[in-house]
Amino acid sequence: MTSVLRHHCLRTLGAGALSVALLCGGTTGALAASPSPGKTASITVKADKTEVKAGDKVTFTGRTKGLKVGSPLVLQHEKSGKWIPLRATAKVKKGSSYALIAKLNTKGAEHLRIAGVSGSRKVYSPTVAVKVK
C-alpha cells in the first residue's frame, strides 16, 4: 500500500513540475537549473499577509539557494494531504530572490509552499499558513 501511495505521490509531483516548466516556456529552463557541486538547494518564503478575504491577493517573497537565475517556481497548496500546484508562478531573479502574487479564493486555512527544480531534484520551501475568510 505504501509503494502505491509513494508512486502516486511521485507521479503527481512530476506532473506538477512538468506543468511549471511548460507554463514557464519549456522544460529546458527547469532541467538546466542545477546547484553548484556540494551545495544543497533551498527556498525561503514569507507571505505579506496571514489573513485575507476570499479573492484578495497575497504576495509571497523569499530567496533561493542553489537555483539558477530564471529557474521557474510555483505556489502549491495542500488539499486532502496532497500538494496541488496553483496558477501562481515566478522565476528566480538576479540576487536569488523572487516575488510571487496569488489570489486566494478557497475559504479556510490555506497551507502553502513554493516549489522549484534544481537539476533532477525538487526543492520546497517551508509551509506558510494564510487564513482566507
Side-chain angles (χ1 to χ4, degrees), residues 31-107:
L31 297 177
S34 60
S36 302
K39 293 187 179 181
T40 58
S42 63
I43 303 173
T44 64
V45 64
K46 182 176 181 179
D48 70 336
K49 300 171 191 159
T50 56
E51 194 170 299
V52 296
K53 291 183 181 178
D56 283 355
K57 292 180 181 179
V58 178
T59 301
F60 298 89
T61 57
R63 296 181 100 33
T64 64
K65 179 181 173 187
L67 276 71
K68 290 187 178 181
V69 172
S71 296
L73 301 170
V74 66
L75 181 67
Q76 297 178 332
H77 77 126
E78 189 178 21
K79 183 175 181 180
S80 301
K82 296 179 184 177
W83 287 98
I84 311 295
L86 299 175
R87 292 185 180 216
T89 62
K91 290 188 178 186
V92 177
K93 298 182 209 172
K94 187 175 181 181
S96 300
S97 66
Y98 71 89
L100 188 147
I101 300 171
K103 188 185 286 190
L104 301 178
N105 296 314
T106 305
K107 291 184 178 183

Side-chain angles (χ1 to χ4, degrees), residues 77-78 104-112 128-132:
H77 77 126
E78 189 178 21
L104 301 178
N105 296 314
T106 305
K107 291 184 178 183
E110 282 278 10
H111 298 278
L112 304 147
V128 63
V130 177
K131 184 177 180 180
V132 183

